[in-house]
Amino acid sequence: MSYTAPLKDMLFVMNELAGLADISTMPACEDATPDTAEAVLEENAKFCASVVAPLNGGSDKEPSFWHDGNVTTSKGFKEAFKAFAEAGWQGVQHPTEFGGQGLPKLLATPCIEMLNSASVSFALVALLSDGAIEALLTAGSDAQKATYLAPLVSGKWTGTMNLTEPQAGSDLAAVRARAVPQDDGTYKVFGTKIFITYGEHDMAENIVHLVLARTPDAPPGVKGISLFIVPKFLVNADGSLGARNDAHCVSIEHKLGIKASPTAVLQFGDHGGAIGTLVGEENRGLEYMFIMMNAARFGVGMQGIGLAERAYQQAVAFAKERVQSRDVAGSAGPVTIIHHPDVRRMLMSMRAQTEAARALAYVGAALSDIAHHHPDAALRADSLATYEYLVPVIKGWATEMSQDVTRDGVQVHGGMGFIEETGAAQHYRDAKILTIYEGTTAIQANDLVGRKTVRDGGAVARAILAQVRATEAQLADIGGADFQAIGRQLGEGSVALEAVVEYVVANMKTDIKAVFAGSVLYLKLAGIVLGGWQMARAAIVARQKLDAGDGDAAFYGAKIATARFFADHILSQASGLRTAIIDGSAGVLALREDQF
Amino acid sequence: MSYTAPLKDMLFVMNELAGLADISTMPACEDATPDTAEAVLEENAKFCASVVAPLNGGSDKEPSFWHDGNVTTSKGFKEAFKAFAEAGWQGVQHPTEFGGQGLPKLLATPCIEMLNSASVSFALVALLSDGAIEALLTAGSDAQKATYLAPLVSGKWTGTMNLTEPQAGSDLAAVRARAVPQDDGTYKVFGTKIFITYGEHDMAENIVHLVLARTPDAPPGVKGISLFIVPKFLVNADGSLGARNDAHCVSIEHKLGIKASPTAVLQFGDHGGAIGTLVGEENRGLEYMFIMMNAARFGVGMQGIGLAERAYQQAVAFAKERVQSRDVAGSAGPVTIIHHPDVRRMLMSMRAQTEAARALAYVGAALSDIAHHHPDAALRADSLATYEYLVPVIKGWATEMSQDVTRDGVQVHGGMGFIEETGAAQHYRDAKILTIYEGTTAIQANDLVGRKTVRDGGAVARAILAQVRATEAQLADIGGADFQAIGRQLGEGSVALEAVVEYVVANMKTDIKAVFAGSVLYLKLAGIVLGGWQMARAAIVARQKLDAGDGDAAFYGAKIATARFFADHILSQASGLRTAIIDGSAGVLALREDQF
């Protein structure tokens, strides 16, 4: 099943909702003009569609496999990653100083979406390298940067994140891996890490493992975790590869989805100790890891959007081709199933949620760019706070959404959807990991409640809601049934979200369990309302363009209809969620353990 | 992962909500006393837990396979089906005249649930035989009954339904298989049938294919379809097996789930013609097939409930065992994850939806018994109408629900859920077929809208809603926050459902596309409101029992809490669904095909 990047929608969102023209006026972003952005996206779209997308189905059927400590990746992955690296795609958002293209996150984000539409399994290797690069840029020493960054940015080497251990999944306080300081300033690392994405593979010359471990006198809990670089091959002073390090892949997992991406169990130090170097200071590992994780969480949100887009395209193609039954309104013979109202409902639901999440994520990416590059410090701070509020929402909501969308994608295919050959089922399987790794949806919701809502007493949430209200005022000025419906549902949604924010802030101290009983639902509500807000903004722009006779009437008309759909079908869930959050904790918490 | 039948909840529903004691006073149901029911369920529970449930995981990993036209089923299936047959479980609900136990549907239903909890793949062979038996009982000739029923009821032979062809899935009008009359009164059948569950296997001596085909002069469309018995082996006059018939399995499918159940492509008549005999009259095949299908649809609804129960039990077991992170309210060390509010929320959601669907389905089964056996003709007719309204709701809602539940089941397991070894992912994969076969959810919704709502102008729906109102009145008489919340949400739900029923009836003629744009959402709304109604009834009984100090306080307390959860978290979705149905068709239908 082929993939065609939705460039029109991507560019619309970048230009009209995320303010690309303004972004490109900021220092260090000057290259990212709308024209350049379009050219970059077009090139990336070609690469993803022609090189990576064709590998997705076959690599699911013939996944990576382990043999004697090595992993052979699926057919074509090695060559595709080489081409990816040589074209410079790994470096899109990384500093020119280390060989990157230094483009803003707003421009890198659609590239990441496309790569994930092409193949989530393939895209993971690049996502993990991005995270390692971010961490080293922030916390690495000059020597570490000099050694590791250029090969990572160029895609000659790849990176990994080694957090999880059998007893330490969501709970990093339980990490047990040990790092023993050596006389030469290095550390010997010992321990077992599990669920390490691309922890071993044959697509790059070296693998840079970033590993959480404890030094001998470290305090217990998360305050005693340090971060180490433990490369697969040690690196000589001249940058050439030295001895094989004592970090070995003992097995890979048999998984529900993303089968082409090897998920490794790594054993560190079974043969004397894996040699590592400390990143930054001891006991600050979690802090550095969060740098990687925040970037990676946003990236996983993009995986959800990319996968949803691919599933949508596949369902549309099938619905336009498959002939079955007459039109309910009467037709001479059987019609293609896209004529059946419930198939349309599913396609619109897939489309509307994907577009809304895309818009929210790209707006988030622009906020991150402003936070890093805008000359106005106050605006930088505000933008950072808003971006940080959005990260768990984008990660949590877009990935949960991708499971709804890929489920509908199978359903549109009917019986054929259940046959693996069709390919729709792969998306359903692949999507399930997205709400789990890089922090489950509940972990995202904890972050949203704790660090992003309660810590500032709800200030950022209220500031965002004030912007939603401004959009509502604009909607009220536009006539017609579509805009009335959008305005009504967005209004009810923002009222519900506001009530929930106030509930969370007011009850966190007195009834913390009740607040957390609704935390994931709060995240979902925030996703729906803020995604609906972006769809409303998009509809307003579309109306203005149509009124001005400016551009593609079919595209703008569809945007308004899709926003209308989102309002009636998705935003309308807001009041039910409010009830479940504010009234629903009693039912969640009532049972004793033995009553389950 | 082991399975323990929820006998306490099953018997509670049968006795307190479905009126087993009354059922057992009806003619032909006298054996089904509450004591007998309990004994039968206990035996069935033992069988399912000890013989079938242990096969579920292994049979997914080593599915049935095809070789030279034969299918070898997964290890243990053949022996387990022999034991199933010998214990008489295939015959629970079938007439004693043909060797069955002649027990009411209310009693057979929990047995079917348990078998599906044990293994959906295994249960399918029995489900298909049940359908074939129903069809032959209704439409078969005396000779056909004499030949086929006893071996089917005893489990010596099994049955299949052959509807689907490559171009004829949901649309049976497109069936092309041909049946040519022969001088001896038999027919020669030609054609290809796909997606035939247990169309070939090694678990029984013979397979009785019921096949839809067209006779030479049949009218086009669904009015020209006849039903034929085409056995795998012809049957001699003395009941012994004769020649191999010209019906051959040319391949089986590689599927997302239910991998142990072979899904066959059957080729009829490639070697001269498969010999078949007509069931009933020519051109009435669809009518007979609907007899099978209605039974099978109810049965597929039970598959959803059985699978949801299994996934719930597995998630609870994991949540009680897995230690991770401290309690949010503060604890000395890490706790089992069942202490975390969001894990509880997911477990309660799984539990509440499973219990609600179970209650609705068992009440439906009792209505079917009343419709068949009650001496009062008016009550029989009313009960039949209500049962028929419920069948698409039970099939559609319980199976969609099972996809929500199995998704949460994986999520509760975190990273381990994504590893196939854990077993949680199998349920997620298995569940996806349930909303597709025996009529997709949209086909169920078409039935609910057309035959079950509009045809009688909404009369049955209104009569059911009047009963819901009576329950609301009872709730209003009971004090306390739980019952207030249940009453409020059920009230809002029934108002929404009533508005939707009136909308459907009023708009079917003038705006049929708009009605069908919301048909699946109407089905979901009906499921939620009627499931919530049963949970409310259950809570009222539980309150009475607690007040009377009668029985198991922990069970009744949990029932009230679960009903409360259902009200706040599930029933609260009703008003959003009403909006999506009544206002939402514009967004569904706005796009031209080229805009997708």
Side-chain angles (χ1 to χ4, degrees):
Chain A
M1 180 60 214
S2 67
Y3 162 70
T4 307
L7 290 177
K8 205 176 273 184
D9 195 52
M10 289 173 157
L11 291 165
F12 170 81
V13 172
M14 291 167 78
N15 287 312
E16 305 296 340
L17 304 182
L20 175 61
D22 288 344
I23 296 287
S24 68
T25 64
M26 297 190 305
C29 299
E30 292 92 345
D31 288 348
T33 63
D35 284 349
T36 304
E38 189 166 346
V40 170
L41 261 60
E42 278 173 4
E43 274 308 303
N44 191 269
K46 263 186 236 166
F47 177 81
C48 291
S50 63
V51 178
V52 183
L55 301 175
N56 195 45
S59 64
D60 179 69
K61 288 171 190 68
E62 295 183 25
S64 297
F65 63 94
W66 181 96
H67 49 102
D68 293 334
N70 299 304
V71 170
T72 301
T73 53
S74 299
K75 199 178 156 192
F77 267 40
K78 190 173 174 174
E79 295 74 18
F81 189 67
K82 191 158 180 272
F84 176 81
E86 284 174 359
W89 294 119
Q90 182 72 61
V92 170
Q93 62 184 316
H94 301 301
T96 51
E97 179 186 356
F98 298 105
Q101 300 188 43
L103 290 167
K105 191 177 181 81
L106 176 55
L107 221 153
T109 295
C111 295
I112 291 170
E113 181 193 322
M114 288 185 253
L115 194 66
N116 279 288
S117 287
S119 168
V120 169
S121 279
F122 181 86
L124 274 167
V125 71
L127 183 77
L128 271 293
S129 286
D130 281 342
I133 293 165
E134 293 271 354
L136 292 178
L137 280 170
T138 312
S141 66
D142 287 345
Q144 287 171 331
K145 288 181 187 173
T147 304
Y148 293 104
L149 279 174
L152 283 169
V153 170
S154 72
K156 198 171 143 196
W157 300 351
T158 68
T160 68
M161 293 168 65
N162 287 250
L163 290 71
T164 304
E165 299 176 9
Q167 78 295 344
S170 296
D171 182 12
L172 293 174
V175 161
R176 285 186 201 145
R178 294 179 303 119
V180 182
Q182 306 296 305
D183 292 341
D184 64 355
T186 65
Y187 290 74
K188 284 202 170 175
V189 176
F190 302 89
T192 304
K193 294 286 180 177
I194 64 168
F195 296 162
I196 307 308
T197 302
Y198 279 98
E200 179 55 44
H201 63 80
D202 57 2
M203 290 157 62
E205 294 171 17
N206 200 5
I207 303 175
V208 182
H209 302 300
L210 290 181
V211 183
L212 290 185
R214 293 182 187 282
T215 52
D217 303 319
V222 294
K223 290 178 181 165
I225 299 174
S226 304
L227 181 64
F228 298 88
I229 301 177
V230 184
K232 177 178 169 184
F233 289 99
L234 298 176
V235 184
N236 299 320
D238 65 355
S240 64
L241 296 187
R244 181 72 165 82
N245 206 350
D246 186 9
H248 294 281
C249 174
V250 294
S251 64
I252 65 173
E253 306 290 353
H254 175 54
K255 309 189 298 292
L256 171 63
I258 56 164
K259 294 187 183 190
S261 72
T263 302
V265 177
L266 289 185
Q267 197 68 36
F268 291 91
D270 268 11
H271 307 285
I275 296 170
T277 57
L278 179 69
V279 177
E281 298 171 21
E282 280 192 15
N283 301 329
R284 291 182 61 186
L286 201 72
E287 181 187 322
Y288 307 141
M289 195 54 95
F290 259 104
I291 298 163
M292 290 175 70
M293 276 208 290
N294 269 324
R297 284 174 176 183
F298 182 89
V300 174
M302 294 315 303
Q303 296 199 294
I305 295 164
L307 190 52
E309 173 67 32
R310 182 81 181 257
Y312 168 72
Q313 290 191 15
Q314 182 157 356
V316 167
F318 185 84
K320 286 184 175 181
E321 196 181 288
R322 170 74 171 168
V323 173
Q324 198 73 180
S325 302
R326 293 179 193 199
D327 193 307
V328 289
S331 60
V335 294
T336 52
I337 63 171
I338 200 169
H339 288 85
H340 300 318
D342 188 63
V343 170
R344 260 175 198 260
R345 183 188 60 79
M346 289 191 279
L347 294 177
M348 286 304 295
S349 183
M350 298 170 80
R351 175 191 182 105
Q353 293 186 83
T354 305
E355 287 187 11
R358 175 182 296 129
L360 188 62
Y362 289 16
V363 166
L367 286 164
S368 169
D369 288 326
I370 296 169
H372 284 95
H373 300 296
H374 202 281
D376 178 342
L379 184 58
R380 283 205 305 275
D382 279 356
S383 299
L384 184 65
T386 306
Y387 173 68
E388 289 190 337
Y389 181 92
L390 292 182
V391 168
V393 176
I394 291 164
K395 198 284 185 182
W397 177 59
T399 59
E400 293 285 348
M401 170 284 281
S402 76
Q403 291 173 16
D404 295 329
V405 166
T406 54
R407 170 176 163 177
D408 274 348
V410 176
Q411 189 73 18
V412 167
H413 286 78
M416 288 307 298
F418 200 65
I419 307 301
E420 286 287 2
E421 200 184 353
T422 309
Q426 184 189 346
H427 306 317
Y428 181 70
R429 289 187 286 98
D430 285 352
K432 194 67 205 78
I433 192 59
L434 303 182
T435 58
I436 296 172
Y437 65 18
E438 301 299 339
T440 64
T441 307
I443 296 289
Q444 307 304 318
N446 287 354
D447 183 42
L448 181 66
V449 165
R451 268 181 292 252
K452 310 298 169 63
T453 302
V454 173
R455 185 147 58 186
D456 70 0
V460 168
R462 277 186 219 107
I464 297 172
L465 278 162
Q467 294 184 61
V468 177
R469 295 278 150 67
T471 301
E472 289 169 26
Q474 284 183 279
L475 290 166
D477 292 339
I478 307 176
D482 288 336
F483 283 87
Q484 277 178 14
I486 295 168
R488 184 167 58 245
Q489 296 302 331
L490 184 60
E492 291 184 13
S494 66
V495 165
L497 181 57
E498 183 178 36
V500 166
V501 167
E502 299 307 331
Y503 165 83
V504 165
V505 171
N507 290 279
M508 185 72 163
K509 281 206 175 154
T510 52
D511 201 356
I512 189 170
K513 286 210 162 191
V515 169
F516 279 106
S519 58
V520 164
L521 305 176
Y522 164 37
L523 183 152
K524 186 175 177 186
L525 176 63
I528 283 174
V529 173
L530 301 180
W533 170 40
Q534 296 308 323
M535 290 305 285
R537 292 183 63 215
I540 292 168
V541 174
R543 180 77 266 157
Q544 290 162 346
K545 299 275 184 187
L546 285 171
D547 289 347
D550 175 8
D552 185 341
F555 175 80
Y556 294 123
K559 185 58 86 177
I560 294 172
T562 306
R564 169 76 192 269
F565 180 94
F566 193 94
D568 289 336
H569 287 257
I570 312 294
L571 267 172
S572 62
Q573 299 165 14
S575 69
L577 286 168
R578 174 175 57 180
T579 299
I581 297 163
I582 295 180
D583 300 339
S585 65
V588 173
L589 301 171
L591 265 56
R592 293 189 316 268
E593 185 172 338
D594 64 284
Q595 287 177 296
F596 280 96
Chain B
M1 180 61 214
S2 68
Y3 163 69
T4 307
L7 290 177
K8 206 177 273 184
D9 195 52
M10 290 173 157
L11 291 165
F12 171 80
V13 171
M14 292 166 78
N15 287 312
E16 305 296 341
L17 303 182
L20 176 61
D22 289 344
I23 297 286
S24 69
T25 64
M26 297 191 303
C29 300
E30 293 90 346
D31 288 348
T33 61
D35 285 349
T36 304
E38 188 166 347
V40 169
L41 261 61
E42 279 174 3
E43 274 308 304
N44 191 270
K46 263 186 236 166
F47 177 82
C48 291
S50 63
V51 177
V52 182
L55 301 175
N56 195 45
S59 65
D60 178 68
K61 288 171 190 70
E62 296 184 24
S64 298
F65 64 94
W66 181 96
H67 49 104
D68 294 334
N70 298 306
V71 170
T72 301
T73 53
S74 300
K75 199 177 156 193
F77 267 40
K78 191 172 173 174
E79 296 72 18
F81 189 68
K82 190 157 182 273
F84 176 82
E86 284 175 1
W89 294 119
Q90 183 72 61
V92 169
Q93 63 185 314
H94 301 302
T96 51
E97 182 186 354
F98 297 105
Q101 299 188 43
L103 290 167
K105 190 176 182 82
L106 177 55
L107 220 153
T109 296
C111 295
I112 291 169
E113 182 193 322
M114 288 186 252
L115 194 65
N116 279 288
S117 287
S119 168
V120 170
S121 279
F122 181 86
L124 274 166
V125 72
L127 183 78
L128 271 293
S129 286
D130 282 341
I133 293 165
E134 293 271 352
L136 292 177
L137 280 170
T138 313
S141 67
D142 287 345
Q144 287 169 330
K145 289 180 185 173
T147 303
Y148 293 104
L149 279 175
L152 282 169
V153 169
S154 72
K156 197 170 144 197
W157 300 351
T158 68
T160 69
M161 294 167 66
N162 287 249
L163 289 72
T164 305
E165 299 176 10
Q167 79 295 344
S170 296
D171 183 12
L172 293 174
V175 160
R176 285 185 199 145
R178 295 178 303 120
V180 182
Q182 306 296 305
D183 293 342
D184 65 354
T186 65
Y187 291 73
K188 284 201 171 174
V189 176
F190 302 89
T192 304
K193 294 286 180 177
I194 64 168
F195 297 160
I196 309 308
T197 302
Y198 279 97
E200 179 56 42
H201 63 81
D202 57 2
M203 289 157 62
E205 294 171 17
N206 201 5
I207 303 175
V208 182
H209 302 300
L210 290 181
V211 184
L212 290 186
R214 294 182 186 283
T215 53
D217 304 318
V222 294
K223 290 178 181 164
I225 298 173
S226 303
L227 181 64
F228 299 89
I229 301 176
V230 183
K232 176 179 170 184
F233 289 100
L234 298 175
V235 184
N236 299 319
D238 64 355
S240 64
L241 297 187
R244 182 70 165 83
N245 207 350
D246 185 9
H248 295 281
C249 174
V250 295
S251 64
I252 64 174
E253 306 291 352
H254 175 56
K255 309 189 298 291
L256 170 63
I258 55 163
K259 295 187 181 189
S261 72
T263 302
V265 177
L266 291 184
Q267 197 68 37
F268 292 91
D270 268 12
H271 307 283
I275 296 170
T277 57
L278 179 69
V279 177
E281 298 172 22
E282 280 192 14
N283 300 330
R284 291 182 61 187
L286 202 71
E287 180 187 322
Y288 308 142
M289 197 53 97
F290 260 104
I291 298 162
M292 290 176 71
M293 276 208 290
N294 269 324
R297 285 174 175 184
F298 182 90
V300 174
M302 295 315 304
Q303 297 198 295
I305 296 164
L307 191 52
E309 173 66 32
R310 183 81 181 258
Y312 168 71
Q313 290 190 16
Q314 182 157 355
V316 167
F318 185 83
K320 286 184 176 180
E321 196 181 288
R322 170 75 172 167
V323 173
Q324 198 74 182
S325 303
R326 294 181 192 197
D327 192 307
V328 288
S331 59
V335 295
T336 52
I337 63 171
I338 200 167
H339 288 84
H340 299 319
D342 190 63
V343 170
R344 261 177 197 260
R345 183 189 59 79
M346 290 191 277
L347 294 177
M348 285 303 295
S349 183
M350 298 170 80
R351 175 191 182 107
Q353 293 184 84
T354 305
E355 287 187 10
R358 175 182 295 130
L360 188 63
Y362 289 17
V363 165
L367 287 164
S368 170
D369 288 326
I370 296 169
H372 284 95
H373 300 296
H374 201 280
D376 178 344
L379 184 59
R380 284 203 305 275
D382 280 356
S383 300
L384 184 65
T386 306
Y387 173 68
E388 290 190 336
Y389 182 92
L390 292 181
V391 167
V393 176
I394 292 164
K395 199 282 185 186
W397 177 58
T399 59
E400 293 284 349
M401 170 284 281
S402 76
Q403 291 172 17
D404 295 329
V405 167
T406 53
R407 170 176 162 177
D408 275 346
V410 176
Q411 190 72 19
V412 167
H413 286 78
M416 290 306 299
F418 200 66
I419 307 301
E420 286 287 2
E421 198 184 353
T422 310
Q426 184 188 346
H427 306 317
Y428 181 70
R429 291 188 285 100
D430 286 351
K432 194 68 205 78
I433 192 59
L434 304 182
T435 58
I436 296 172
Y437 64 19
E438 301 299 340
T440 63
T441 307
I443 296 289
Q444 307 303 319
N446 288 354
D447 182 43
L448 180 66
V449 165
R451 268 181 292 254
K452 310 297 168 64
T453 302
V454 173
R455 185 140 79 184
D456 70 0
V460 168
R462 277 186 219 107
I464 296 172
L465 277 163
Q467 294 183 60
V468 177
R469 295 278 150 65
T471 301
E472 289 168 27
Q474 283 183 281
L475 290 167
D477 291 340
I478 306 176
D482 288 336
F483 283 87
Q484 277 179 14
I486 296 168
R488 183 168 58 245
Q489 296 303 330
L490 184 60
E492 292 182 13
S494 67
V495 165
L497 180 57
E498 183 176 36
V500 166
V501 166
E502 298 308 330
Y503 166 83
V504 166
V505 171
N507 290 279
M508 185 73 163
K509 282 207 173 150
T510 52
D511 200 357
I512 188 170
K513 286 209 164 191
V515 170
F516 280 107
S519 58
V520 164
L521 304 177
Y522 165 35
L523 183 151
K524 185 175 178 188
L525 177 62
I528 282 173
V529 173
L530 301 181
W533 171 38
Q534 297 307 324
M535 289 306 284
R537 292 184 63 215
I540 292 169
V541 174
R543 180 77 265 157
Q544 291 163 346
K545 298 275 185 187
L546 284 171
D547 290 348
D550 176 7
D552 185 341
F555 175 81
Y556 294 124
K559 185 59 87 175
I560 293 171
T562 306
R564 169 77 192 268
F565 181 94
F566 193 94
D568 289 336
H569 288 257
I570 312 293
L571 268 172
S572 61
Q573 298 167 14
S575 69
L577 287 167
R578 174 174 57 179
T579 298
I581 297 164
I582 295 180
D583 301 338
S585 66
V588 174
L589 302 170
L591 264 57
R592 294 189 317 269
E593 186 172 337
D594 64 283
Q595 287 177 296
F596 280 96

